Structure formats: C-alpha cells, structure tokens
C-alpha cells in the first residue's frame, strides 16, 4: 500500500502546484494591467507638463504685448464698466497701438459689437472673453497641417536679412532631426560669405549636413546639387536658405523665382513649402515685406521671430486677417528648442488667459 500512498502524495503535490500557479497568474495579470495604466498616466502627465511649459514660454514671450494690449483692455474695463461708444473707441485705439492694424481692428470690433448686441451683453468685462474667441477664430481660419508628399520634402525659406532666417532654419532642422527625420540644408544665399559660414556653424550645432558652394556661386546650382544629394542620401527634409537683399528687390525676387522653378522641375511630384521669416518687432512693415515675397514666390506660411522682444505681437492677427496666411512657427528665444509650431488656441490663451 506504500506505492498507493506515494501516488496519492504525488497527485496532492501536483494539485498544490497548479493552484499556486493559478493564484500567481491571477495576481500577475492585474499587476501587468496596473503597470500599463501607470505608464499611460505618466506619459499623459509628461505631455500635459510639456504643453504647460510651452504655454508658459509663450505667455512670457508675450509679456510686452500683454502690457501693451491685454493690460490696457483690463484697465479700460475697470474704468468704464458699461459698454458705450467711448468704450468701443478706446478699445479700437488699444488694438491699433498693439499693431493689430486698422483693417483687422475694425473687423474685430464689428464682429464683437454684433455678438454683444445679439447676446444682450451689458457689462464691459464680458467683452474680453468675446475678443479672445474672435482672435482665436481669426487665427484658426488659416491654420493648415502640411502633409509632405514625396521625399525629400522641400522647405524654401525666404525673408530679408536680419529677420532671423538662418537661426530659424537651424531650429527647424533640429526639430525635424529630433522627430527622427533625416535632414539636409542648402546654402543658396551665395552673395555673402558670412551667410554660408553662419549656416555651416548652425548646421554643425544641429548635427545635420549642409550643401554649399563658394561665395558668388549661382544659387540655382546650389539648389540643383542639394536636390540631387537629398535624393541620393534618401533625406526626408531639405531646407533651403535664400538671399535677403531687399534693397535690390527686383533681382532678389527673380533669383528666388528661379530657385523655385528648379525645385518644381527636379521634384515635380513633390509639394514644396515656401516659408517667409518675419521679425515681429517690425510691426506693420512685416505686412509690406510679405506682400513683396507673395508676389514673387507665393508663400505657404510664416515664421514669426523675436516675439519675445516686442510689444507688437498684435501683428500675428494682421498677418492672419490681411494676408490670409498661416503662422507656422514662432520664435520665442535663442535656444534650439525656442522655435515651436504655432497654435491659435495657445496664443489666445497666452495673450488673454490669467
């Protein structure tokens, strides 16, 4: 009977092991699920922290504009309380002084007055929320998402000297590289040796390659070689710098038009972008510059630089309303990460939020 007891003992041990394994599985699976949920929570928190950090950065960069625009509107509201003709007239003056522009200001005032009448609003304080909503809607009307068609996706960067063109190119290159895109730069501003050297310095800093020729070379030849190199090296993004001598604007515009034609000829299936770099501090002069480049090359978007150093941030609204162009990027500092994609919602919150 010893052998029977032995078999019973073995079965008993196997049963105990199976129960332990089942128990372990029951415990482990919820723990795994819990770990996944925890990872998602951490990821969500990190994303929220990143967005909040960017909002704070934009708000800080708009501090001068807020003093010139938002704080004055707050003061107007506290002084008046009621909505009358004097209120509208002073609000109009404040917007114009912040470089929103006369045309855009009149459009905003018209829309807000219409809503005040329709909604039966009596208190001036409520106008601030309406203004914020109108600003966001005006900016959002032109927002577009660029979906690259074919490789390389070409970004032709234009703008006058001193607007921040070279640094914006480097910061864009850094952004795309961080997104695991293979980036190539082209130095087609061949009229200044300093421009080529400066772009090389920034390319080295961003860790991307640069196609360049000697000073005085044909910009079209540089672009042709850059496109060939981008194809051969299987680059995802090709960013091209151009000259910005506005004092010789006729030749400059012809040159940029020629470069654009070379891009269209060599990459007929690709939809390239033309981004105009504007210095926010130039205010309404930026509108005049944009019109010139729009006539010569067509513009798909704006890079607005030096927003952190000016009280003329209202120019963003004038660009959206008068030119019907999207602001693609804003520059709010000197570091590589200080060029960010523009968001109408973030801009409105940074400008009018508490």
């Amino acid at each position: 009977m010893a052998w029977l007891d032995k078999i019973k003992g073995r079965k008993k041990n196997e049963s105990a092991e199976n129960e332990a394994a089942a128990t372990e599985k029951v415990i482990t699976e919820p723990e795994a699920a819990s770990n996944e949920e925890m990872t998602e929570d951490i990821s969500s928190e990190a994303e929220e922290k990143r967005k909040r950090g960017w909002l704070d950065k934009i708000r800080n960069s708009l501090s001068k504009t807020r003093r010139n625009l938002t704080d004055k509107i707050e003061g107007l509201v506290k002084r008046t309380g009621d909505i009358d003709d004097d209120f509208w007239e002073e609000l109009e003056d404040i917007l114009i002084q912040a470089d929103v522009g006369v045309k855009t200001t009149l459009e905003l005032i018209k829309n807000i007055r219409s809503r005040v009448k329709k909604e039966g609003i009596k208190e001036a304080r409520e106008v601030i929320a309406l203004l914020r909503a109108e600003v966001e809607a005006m900016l959002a009307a032109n927002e577009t998402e660029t979906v690259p068609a074919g490789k390389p996706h070409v970004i032709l960067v234009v703008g006058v000297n001193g607007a921040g063109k070279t640094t914006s190119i480097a910061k864009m290159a850094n952004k795309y590289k961080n997104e695991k895109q293979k980036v190539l730069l082209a130095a087609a501003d061949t009229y200044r040796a300093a421009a080529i050297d400066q772009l090389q310095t920034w390319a080295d800093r961003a860790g991307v390659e640069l196609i360049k020729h000697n000073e005085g070379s044909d910009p079209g030849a540089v672009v042709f070689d850059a496109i060939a190199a981008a194809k051969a090296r299987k680059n995802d993004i090709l960013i091209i710098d151009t000259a910005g001598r506005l004092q010789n604007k006729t030749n400059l515009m012809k040159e940029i038009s020629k470069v654009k034609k070379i891009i269209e000829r060599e990459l007929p299936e690709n939809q390239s972008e033309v981004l105009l770099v504007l210095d926010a501090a130039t205010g309404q002069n930026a509108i005049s510059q944009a019109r010139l480049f729009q006539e010569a090359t067509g513009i798909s978007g704006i890079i607005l630089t030096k927003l952190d150093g000016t009280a003329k941030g209202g120019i963003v609204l004038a660009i959206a309303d008068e030119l019907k162009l999207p602001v693609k990027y804003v520059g709010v500092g000197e570091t590589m990460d200080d060029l960010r994609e523009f968001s109408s919602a973030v801009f409105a919150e940074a400008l009018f939020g508490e």
Side-chain angles (χ1 to χ4, degrees):
M1 297 295 290
W3 61 271
L4 185 58
D5 293 338
K6 198 170 185 179
I7 289 173
K8 286 180 179 178
R10 189 182 300 157
K11 286 185 177 180
K12 189 175 181 181
N13 289 340
E14 287 176 358
S15 177
E17 288 173 3
N18 290 337
E19 286 179 11
T23 303
E24 185 178 352
K25 186 177 181 182
V26 169
I27 292 171
T28 303
E29 286 179 353
E31 282 182 355
S34 178
N35 287 339
E36 287 176 9
E37 289 172 5
M38 191 179 297
T39 302
E40 287 178 5
D41 289 343
I42 292 171
S43 177
S44 178
E45 286 176 12
E47 179 64 15
E48 185 62 31
K49 188 176 180 181
R50 186 188 69 79
K51 287 180 180 178
R52 178 55 55 181
W54 176 229
L55 175 61
D56 291 341
K57 188 89 176 177
I58 285 285
R59 184 179 281 116
N60 290 337
S61 73
L62 287 172
S63 59
K64 291 182 180 180
T65 300
R66 283 174 65 93
R67 286 195 295 272
N68 195 33
L69 176 65
T70 316
D71 290 357
K72 287 182 179 179
I73 294 173
E74 289 277 1
L76 169 63
V77 166
K78 288 175 182 176
R79 284 198 316 276
T80 59
D82 297 326
I83 301 173
D84 53 23
D85 288 341
D86 289 339
F87 171 83
W88 292 118
E89 188 174 328
E90 192 166 346
L91 179 59
E92 187 178 298
D93 289 342
I94 291 169
L95 290 170
I96 290 172
Q97 288 168 16
D99 266 82
V100 172
V102 175
K103 178 183 176 297
T104 306
T105 294
L106 294 177
E107 181 71 17
L108 284 169
I109 295 291
K110 182 187 79 172
N111 293 344
I112 295 168
R113 290 188 78 155
S114 175
R115 288 188 62 181
V116 164
K117 184 177 180 181
K118 184 178 179 181
E119 298 172 25
I121 292 171
K122 303 295 183 185
E123 293 187 13
R125 174 153 295 282
E126 294 182 62
V127 171
I128 296 177
L130 296 182
L131 178 59
R132 173 176 170 171
E134 286 297 325
V135 164
E136 186 173 341
M138 182 175 283
L139 294 171
N142 298 303
E143 282 188 343
T144 55
E145 184 178 353
T146 302
V147 180
K151 292 183 180 181
H153 176 63
V154 179
I155 302 172
L156 183 66
V157 183
V158 300
V160 301
N161 292 335
K165 191 155 45 75
T166 307
T167 52
S168 294
I169 288 171
K171 290 172 182 179
M172 267 198 296
N174 183 66
K175 169 192 173 293
Y176 283 117
K177 187 186 174 189
N178 289 339
E179 293 172 357
K180 309 303 179 187
Q181 301 285 306
K182 192 175 180 183
V183 183
L184 182 66
L185 304 184
D189 181 0
T190 59
Y191 290 88
R192 295 185 303 132
I196 300 171
D197 294 341
Q198 186 184 15
L199 190 58
Q200 181 67 71
T201 299
W202 279 103
D204 293 341
R205 198 175 298 178
V208 298
E209 294 182 305
L210 172 70
I211 300 297
K212 61 182 180 179
H213 287 190
N214 293 328
E215 179 186 2
S217 300
D218 178 13
V222 177
V223 172
F224 180 85
D225 287 351
I227 291 172
K231 287 178 179 177
R233 300 174 192 181
K234 294 182 168 38
N235 287 100
D236 300 298
I237 307 289
L238 171 61
I239 307 176
I240 301 171
D241 186 19
T242 59
R245 308 172 325 282
L246 197 60
Q247 66 272 21
N248 192 7
K249 63 184 178 185
T250 302
N251 290 340
L252 171 63
M253 298 308 169
K254 283 181 181 178
E255 176 191 302
I256 294 175
S257 297
K258 177 185 171 184
V259 164
K260 192 177 179 186
K261 286 176 183 175
I262 291 171
I263 295 169
E264 292 168 350
R265 185 189 71 207
E266 296 302 313
L267 295 166
E269 303 300 320
N270 293 25
Q271 187 177 354
S272 60
E273 287 185 87
V274 180
L275 299 184
L276 171 63
V277 180
L278 293 174
D279 180 348
T282 60
Q284 288 295 309
N285 286 336
I287 301 293
S288 302
Q289 291 175 25
R291 294 193 195 282
L292 282 172
F293 282 99
Q294 180 76 304
E295 289 172 14
T297 65
I299 299 168
S300 52
I302 302 291
I303 300 174
L304 195 64
T305 63
K306 307 176 188 179
L307 195 61
D308 54 318
T310 181
K312 299 179 178 181
I315 191 62
V316 174
L317 299 173
I319 290 169
D321 181 51
E322 293 190 40
L323 302 175
K324 307 302 180 189
L325 288 170
V327 176
K328 291 282 191 176
Y329 296 96
V330 286
V332 293
E334 298 299 323
T335 71
M336 278 290 200
D337 294 326
D338 285 335
L339 184 77
R340 299 292 183 91
E341 291 182 32
F342 182 79
S343 163
S344 57
V346 170
F347 184 86
E349 184 175 352
L351 192 58
F352 296 104
E354 297 179 0

